[in-house]
Amino acid sequence: MTFIGYTEAVSPDLDRIQIRVVAQTFGPPKHQPVPDHGPEIIWDAPINWRLCE
C-alpha cells in the first residue's frame, strides 16, 4: 500500500515529520485508490517516507 501526502511540519529535534495523508493506493501492478480515505495527520520518521516523482 502506498500513502500519498504532504509534509506539513518538522519536529524541533528533526527526528519526526508531520505528514497529511490525503490518499492511499494499492499497488503494483496497478495503483487503485482506496475508497473513502479522508485526510489523516501523522508524525513519523523521515526515513519511512520517500519523495514522489
Side-chain angles (χ1 to χ4, degrees):
M1 187 173 298
T2 300
F3 294 92
I4 300 167
Y6 303 94
T7 304
E8 293 204 328
V10 177
S11 65
D13 53 7
L14 301 176
D15 69 342
R16 295 280 183 255
I17 55 176
Q18 183 185 39
I19 304 287
R20 178 177 296 270
V21 177
V22 295
Q24 294 177 344
T25 60
F26 289 108
K30 295 181 181 178
H31 288 286
Q32 299 294 324
V34 175
D36 299 326
H37 184 272
E40 174 184 0
I41 295 176
I42 61 172
W43 285 90
D44 198 6
I47 194 140
N48 294 329
W49 295 86
R50 65 178 175 84
L51 183 62
C52 295
E53 297 179 13

